[in-house]
Amino acid sequence: MAIFTPVSHDEAAAFLATHDLGGLIAMEGIVEGVENTNYRLDTSVGRFILTLFEGRTDAASLPFCLGLTDHLAERGYPAARVMRNRSGARIGEINGRPAAILEWRDGVWLRRPGAPDVALAGRRLADLHRLGADFPLRRANPVGPPAWRDLARRCAERAGEADQPMLESLVAELDRAEAVFEGAARLPGGAIHADYFPDNVLFANRDIGGVIDFYFACDGAYVYDLGIALNAWGFDAEGRPDREAMGAFVRGYEQGRRLSRAEREALPALAAASALRFTLTRLHDRLFHDPAWVVTPKDPAPFFRRIAFHAAADADTYGLAPADGVP
């Protein structure tokens, strides 16, 4: 979440008036995150999130992203419902940006989650995969291999001498990562979150009160989504592995959905591919950062360090239970 497009109180009130959600009492910008513009809205009937979708979120993808969060919420998953306007539409427009109002989900993200919290996060990712399995819409991964190539090309145009060693290593990894990603199409898959980081998982009353920010959601291999999550939950801020956290996450995940033998074998390479993806996007965002944006770009180096860890890993590295009897 971030603020790229300013919205005045009157502009927000006018947009809110197209919904049956009461009158606007107060609004506040939410500056965490890096993708879209978000405001908290307090109205006479409750609290909501106003989101303006910025450049990296393709407007054509919004029926999938918003439809998936609604689909999951209808099945009891802690995702935000999308508030339809009086015409029944989920999406409107503010200041030239597609915009939507979503249900406020209580909770806070944990800066230092303990092993039980991490295990619960793993279980809720498995629940997402199970409950989203019958979601009918489709979306190709917007940050898959074609995007990796384009990001690397753009970074090369602006990278200074200090960034060259990292960028050269990333380019050298691309062929292998693309082959791994292509092979993942044969693994179990469906709707995935693709951005299941701690700041998108809100804890409340020893449970998870909200899973948010589905704007990278797409079709993909479930174990690729697990690899993304392990990169998010299983390393410290400097990119050092936390094996206890990784083990807790995969144990929680397998309480809800057991990995197949093929998924276990593919996990290290797909986790490395996801680390490559986030290294490239963070490097790109740092190189092309606009200082006018109320958001701080994230350092790509900790994700770059994850690639080498996964390249040397096997299924046991992540604390998976023995594979006896797993097909």
Side-chain angles (χ1 to χ4, degrees):
M1 299 179 183
I3 300 173
F4 300 102
T5 302
V7 176
S8 71
H9 186 282
D10 288 346
E11 289 166 340
F15 188 75
L16 182 67
T18 65
H19 299 69
D20 289 317
L21 299 174
L24 183 61
I25 296 173
M27 64 181 291
E28 181 178 354
I30 301 173
V31 298
E32 290 184 317
V34 297
E35 297 301 333
N36 296 311
T37 295
N38 293 271
Y39 291 89
R40 187 185 73 197
L41 303 183
D42 290 312
T43 82
S44 55
V45 301
R47 177 170 288 177
F48 304 90
I49 291 284
L50 168 65
T51 297
L52 280 67
F53 301 102
E54 303 291 348
R56 191 176 283 173
T57 303
D58 178 12
S61 72
L62 292 177
F64 179 97
C65 301
L66 298 177
L68 178 58
T69 188
D70 258 356
H71 177 92
L72 292 167
E74 289 169 0
R75 285 153 178 76
Y77 190 77
R81 293 180 300 128
V82 185
M83 304 291 102
R84 295 178 182 267
N85 64 25
R86 292 194 182 95
S87 300
R90 293 186 176 110
I91 304 164
E93 184 178 302
I94 300 179
N95 293 341
R97 298 287 189 271
I101 297 176
L102 286 84
E103 175 186 28
W104 177 271
R105 298 297 307 189
D106 287 326
V108 296
W109 73 272
L110 303 180
R111 270 69 172 177
R112 292 185 176 87
D117 306 313
V118 176
L120 180 57
R123 174 58 190 267
R124 291 292 176 262
L125 181 62
D127 293 342
L128 187 158
H129 292 163
R130 289 188 302 99
L131 295 172
D134 61 345
F135 182 59
L137 301 184
R138 297 289 177 264
R139 183 194 186 194
N141 191 326
V143 200
W148 303 343
R149 291 279 180 190
D150 186 56
L151 287 165
R153 177 188 58 78
R154 286 174 54 80
C155 288
E157 294 171 355
R158 186 168 289 196
E161 185 176 348
D163 293 314
Q164 287 302 326
M166 178 190 295
L167 185 56
E168 290 171 6
S169 294
L170 294 172
V171 170
E173 286 284 326
L174 281 173
D175 286 342
R176 180 171 62 178
E178 288 174 343
V180 166
F181 201 85
E182 182 178 345
R186 297 186 290 272
L187 298 171
I192 63 174
H193 187 281
D195 198 26
Y196 196 81
F197 277 59
D199 58 349
N200 288 329
V201 180
L202 309 180
F203 285 78
N205 300 320
R206 298 186 179 182
D207 200 352
I208 290 177
V211 175
I212 62 173
D213 205 350
F214 281 76
Y215 305 116
F216 286 109
C218 58
D219 285 300
Y222 294 141
V223 71
Y224 177 68
D225 211 18
L226 176 58
I228 291 173
L230 289 176
N231 278 318
W233 296 81
F235 293 80
D236 69 12
E238 298 303 315
R240 293 182 292 257
D242 182 339
R243 292 175 185 268
E244 180 183 5
M246 282 190 228
F249 196 99
V250 297
R251 285 193 298 273
Y253 184 90
E254 288 212 294
Q255 288 176 2
R257 180 183 169 273
R258 194 83 187 274
L259 296 176
S260 69
R261 189 175 297 274
E263 288 176 297
R264 289 163 173 259
E265 293 172 353
L267 177 57
L270 286 170
S274 76
L276 171 70
R277 169 258 193 266
F278 283 97
T279 305
L280 281 168
T281 53
R282 291 182 177 202
L283 178 60
H284 177 274
D285 289 348
R286 179 166 62 77
L287 291 172
F288 288 87
H289 177 63
D290 184 339
W293 294 341
V294 187
V295 61
T296 301
K298 296 178 179 178
D299 183 5
F303 266 84
F304 181 62
R305 298 182 189 112
R306 288 160 164 82
I307 298 173
F309 173 85
H310 296 301
D314 58 25
D316 292 338
T317 303
Y318 306 101
L320 285 162
D324 299 341
V326 176

